Amino acid sequence: MKKHNKQTAAVNWPITILLILGCITIFFPLYMALIIAFKQPMEMTNDIAGALAFPAQWSFANFSEAMRVTDFWNSLGNSLLLTVSTVVIAIVLHGLAGYAIGRSMIKSKTYNVIYLYIVSGMFVPFAILMMPLVKQTAQMGMANRLGVILLYVVFYMPLNMMLYKGYLTNIPIALEEAARVDGASTWRTYWSIVFPIMKPMHATVAVLTAMSTWNDVMTPLVIMSGTGKNTLPLAQLNFQTQFGTNYNLAFASYLLALIPILLFYIICQKQILNGVVNGAVK
């Protein structure tokens, strides 16, 4: 009989405590949003025990009323249009820009300057650009959903291009050289070889861009003001008045708006994890 030495792994308590605190920090607001969305206004109390208690009766009345107040399906359609259009255009254009500049930086230092110039756009606050953009879009007849989509594509270009350029360092140039030997053009090489390989980064860019676009309030507010085309975040401003906020309807609406982007993240999660792993190991 062989004796096996059982080794008990020591628990790293500092890390464990931090993970527990992190989970509480994430799930506690979600718990509060959930129970408030199902509560009636008369159940809202100032004491902690009452605030944390479950609703006396679980009802979807707040959700149906929130959908009516926000004109949910029209607002959802506008949000989906802005988000999907921005994500598709961002993946196509920003991927091309990241590939063109990333590969050209190897041959010429001029592209390093161009790259730094584009990436520096991340440090320009939207508040500085807001008033000029409002005036320019109005003068160009683009104070509508098309104008908002184009602005999103420009706003997210620095970060997305930086992500694509960084991911390209994991793709061997030998693959592209072999394609050129076989007679493939640069355009064909990108779409047939490089673009499919960057699938994990496409998912990462899609999620980051979609979350930023889906939750944005300021850009549609200042650009599409007066058009009657509300996104979900804009429609949810109806719950906030100078006399107070209807938290029950507001949280019900927030949960409804959370579902589409959460499903999108779950679908792309596997590719995002692959992108992180591939980006960490060369």
Side-chain angles (χ1 to χ4, degrees):
M1 298 290 292
K2 294 183 179 180
K3 295 182 179 180
H4 298 279
N5 294 326
K6 296 182 179 180
Q7 296 180 354
T8 305
V11 178
N12 192 332
W13 285 109
I15 300 299
T16 303
I17 293 174
L18 287 176
L19 289 175
I20 294 174
L21 292 176
C23 291
I24 294 175
T25 303
I26 294 173
F27 287 107
F28 181 73
L30 291 176
Y31 168 77
M32 291 298 298
L34 186 64
I35 63 173
I36 290 176
F38 282 96
K39 283 184 177 181
Q40 297 302 316
M42 65 282 299
E43 297 182 65
M44 300 293 292
T45 58
N46 293 326
D47 61 290
I48 298 178
L52 296 177
F54 287 113
Q57 182 179 1
W58 296 84
S59 172
F60 288 92
N62 289 331
F63 291 89
S64 59
E65 179 64 15
M67 293 177 68
R68 185 192 65 80
V69 173
T70 59
D71 193 10
F72 179 76
W73 295 113
N74 287 330
S75 301
L76 177 65
N78 289 325
S79 291
L80 286 175
L81 176 63
L82 295 181
T83 303
V84 174
S85 301
T86 302
V87 168
V88 172
I89 297 174
I91 290 176
V92 174
L93 293 184
H94 299 168
L96 278 170
Y99 173 72
I101 293 180
R103 288 300 189 235
S104 299
M105 288 172 64
I106 302 175
K107 304 174 184 178
S108 175
K109 293 184 178 180
T110 304
Y111 288 92
N112 287 288
V113 179
I114 297 175
Y115 172 73
L116 292 176
Y117 174 75
I118 296 176
V119 171
S120 64
M122 290 190 297
F123 304 102
V124 181
F126 177 75
I128 297 178
L129 303 173
M130 183 170 63
M131 294 308 298
L133 286 176
V134 171
K135 185 175 181 180
Q136 289 179 358
T137 52
Q139 291 176 343
M140 297 172 64
M142 297 176 61
N144 47 37
R145 290 174 293 187
L146 176 61
V148 174
I149 293 172
L150 293 179
L151 288 177
Y152 282 146
V153 172
V154 174
F155 291 159
Y156 304 141
M157 183 176 182
L159 175 60
N160 292 344
M161 199 186 72
M162 184 178 66
L163 293 174
Y164 277 120
K165 183 263 178 185
Y167 192 80
L168 279 170
T169 59
N170 300 308
I171 302 177
I173 301 180
L175 294 175
E176 301 168 45
E177 294 175 345
R180 293 191 183 97
V181 171
D182 291 337
S185 62
T186 303
W187 184 261
R188 178 67 180 275
T189 301
Y190 174 76
W191 288 111
S192 299
I193 298 177
V194 178
F195 188 83
I197 294 177
M198 291 198 299
K199 186 178 179 181
M201 186 49 62
H202 296 326
T204 303
V205 168
V207 169
L208 293 177
T209 304
M211 291 181 64
S212 301
T213 304
W214 187 265
N215 296 319
D216 184 42
V217 177
M218 287 303 300
T219 307
L221 179 63
V222 299
I223 301 299
M224 297 196 308
S225 178
T227 62
K229 303 292 185 181
N230 285 336
T231 60
L232 277 176
L234 284 182
Q236 289 167 349
L237 294 178
N238 293 328
F239 301 119
Q240 300 177 6
T241 66
Q242 60 179 336
F243 302 106
T245 301
N246 190 329
Y247 291 104
N248 303 96
L249 297 185
F251 280 107
S253 181
Y254 297 156
L255 290 176
L256 289 173
L258 176 66
I259 294 174
I261 198 67
L262 182 61
L263 292 176
F264 181 69
Y265 175 79
I266 293 174
I267 294 172
C268 297
Q269 183 180 17
K270 183 178 179 180
Q271 293 298 329
I272 293 174
L273 293 176
N274 291 339
V276 172
V277 173
N278 293 335
V281 181
K282 290 188 178 181

